[in-house]
Amino acid sequence: MRYYDQHSHTYYSPDSTEHFENYLKQTDLPVVTTEHLDFYRPSQNMKDAVLDYDSYVETIHRLNKKYKNRLLKGIEVGFTYRDRHRIEAYLADKSFDIILFSIHHNGGQGFMTLNHDTKDLTEHVEDYYSLMLQGIKEAPYANVLAHFDYGLRGYDKVKVSDLKPAEETLKAIFKVIIEQNQALELNTRSMYAYDNAHLYDYAIGLYKSLGGQLFTVSSDAHVSEDYQFHFSDAFSLLRAHDVNELVVFKNQTTHWVPLPD
Ligand SMILES: [Zn+2]
Ligand SMILES: [Zn+2]
């Protein structure tokens, strides 16, 4: 088995208009899309993103006849503590190959649209990772901790030293994912579009020092041009950390695959 991208979106996500075929045509590997599930407060003025599962499954089923069963099913759970039961209820009667765990907003504001000018980064880092720790403990059903730095994307030039005050919280998060057999995602969009690769360098070391071994590398593509975005750079970074295997998820089961050259 060879490694494949495990975080991408199509028109089944509100922030993408991409079609499955445009990913499928670029590769002979399996293609898994991870469509959004996000709930918002009325004050946020955002429409809930709830994947139309029946339609999604039916589209995949139809395309799989043409594309040799290469399409897998995935979902990206945008976790909020307040909606945890709704999320569980949604997942209860559905099956996915992979479930990503993400923290996209704090129940009041999206982390991409926070007023970064007025919120101190140190305070934000503490808040963000506290939410992540509280959340991940409630989400043993997830397979992957996605873009651990998402909440920092709105700040320019975040340094490793900016994360240090939250290091104990980060360690606690990594201990939970290790216990729950969840992988740490290298999100190449964060690393090379938001220039946070150095934060991943730090996180890989920290996670490994606690015994973490499960890694995924994913593009978070919303357009097919971003499929496998900067993968070779992320692979090199892992190699520098003596990581030589990655994991893929099928029917939520972990499979080890070699780190590609
Ligand atoms: Zn996300
Ligand atoms: Zn995503």
Side-chain angles (χ1 to χ4, degrees):
M1 213 186 311
R2 287 183 296 151
Y3 188 72
Y4 53 86
D5 200 339
Q6 292 179 96
H7 187 161
S8 67
H9 298 269
T10 68
Y11 61 90
Y12 279 98
S13 293
D15 56 357
S16 172
T17 55
E18 194 52 275
H19 287 263
F20 296 95
E21 292 90 330
N22 294 332
Y23 293 110
L24 287 159
K25 282 174 189 162
Q26 295 187 58
T27 180
D28 59 355
L29 290 165
V31 168
V32 61
T33 71
T34 46
E35 312 293 353
H36 285 297
L37 178 70
D38 285 286
F39 296 109
Y40 299 98
R41 302 275 77 76
S43 63
Q44 288 177 277
N45 240 331
M46 293 274 289
K47 227 177 145 242
D48 288 342
V50 182
L51 171 64
D52 181 345
Y53 182 77
D54 291 342
S55 166
Y56 180 66
V57 168
E58 128 88 51
T59 301
I60 286 179
H61 183 71
R62 178 169 50 78
L63 287 167
N64 267 342
K65 287 183 191 153
K66 186 173 168 192
Y67 289 95
K68 300 181 178 165
N69 292 316
R70 284 198 289 125
L71 277 177
L72 302 173
K73 303 190 296 286
I75 190 158
E76 178 178 8
V77 172
F79 187 90
T80 45
Y81 188 76
R82 188 163 157 171
D83 301 301
R84 64 196 186 282
H85 301 307
R86 260 167 113 183
I87 294 166
E88 283 167 21
Y90 177 87
L91 295 173
D93 59 351
K94 301 177 182 67
S95 78
F96 291 99
D97 289 290
I98 185 168
I99 300 180
L100 308 182
F101 172 95
S102 298
I103 299 274
H104 286 138
H105 69 87
N106 61 12
Q109 279 177 302
F111 291 118
M112 298 295 280
T113 52
L114 271 179
N115 194 345
H116 303 106
D117 298 340
T118 56
K119 189 166 185 193
D120 174 59
L121 176 60
T122 310
E123 187 191 334
H124 175 67
V125 163
E126 292 285 359
D127 288 353
Y128 180 63
Y129 288 112
S130 301
L131 275 181
M132 190 178 285
L133 177 58
Q134 179 195 44
I136 193 67
K137 288 179 182 167
E138 299 288 333
Y141 49 76
N143 303 112
V144 179
L145 173 64
H147 48 46
F148 89 100
D149 65 319
Y150 180 87
L152 313 174
R153 282 184 186 175
Y155 289 84
D156 283 336
K157 299 193 179 13
V158 177
K159 300 183 294 295
V160 170
S161 57
D162 295 320
L163 297 190
K164 286 282 181 187
E167 188 169 89
E168 288 309 311
T169 312
L170 265 173
K171 278 172 147 175
I173 292 165
F174 291 159
K175 281 180 189 163
V176 173
I177 66 170
I178 291 164
E179 259 167 49
Q180 296 185 158
N181 287 315
Q182 295 163 323
L184 179 67
E185 176 189 87
L186 271 65
N187 184 291
T188 55
R189 183 175 160 94
S190 276
M191 294 169 79
Y192 304 107
Y194 290 93
D195 292 325
N196 279 344
H198 57 293
L199 303 183
Y200 279 83
D201 186 30
Y202 162 68
I204 294 164
L206 195 61
Y207 170 71
K208 275 197 73 186
S209 74
L210 300 166
Q213 296 183 315
L214 309 183
F215 293 94
T216 62
V217 173
S218 292
S219 68
D220 203 352
H222 286 65
V223 292
S224 65
E225 291 76 16
D226 286 344
Y227 173 71
Q228 295 189 343
F229 183 69
H230 279 269
F231 264 28
S232 56
D233 294 321
F235 295 156
S236 301
L237 179 62
L238 283 169
R239 211 165 280 117
H241 281 274
D242 261 328
V243 174
N244 297 301
E245 284 183 300
L246 297 173
V247 289
V248 295
F249 293 92
K250 282 190 178 167
N251 200 16
Q252 293 203 265
T253 304
T254 313
H255 300 270
W256 292 92
V257 293
L259 182 71
D261 293 328

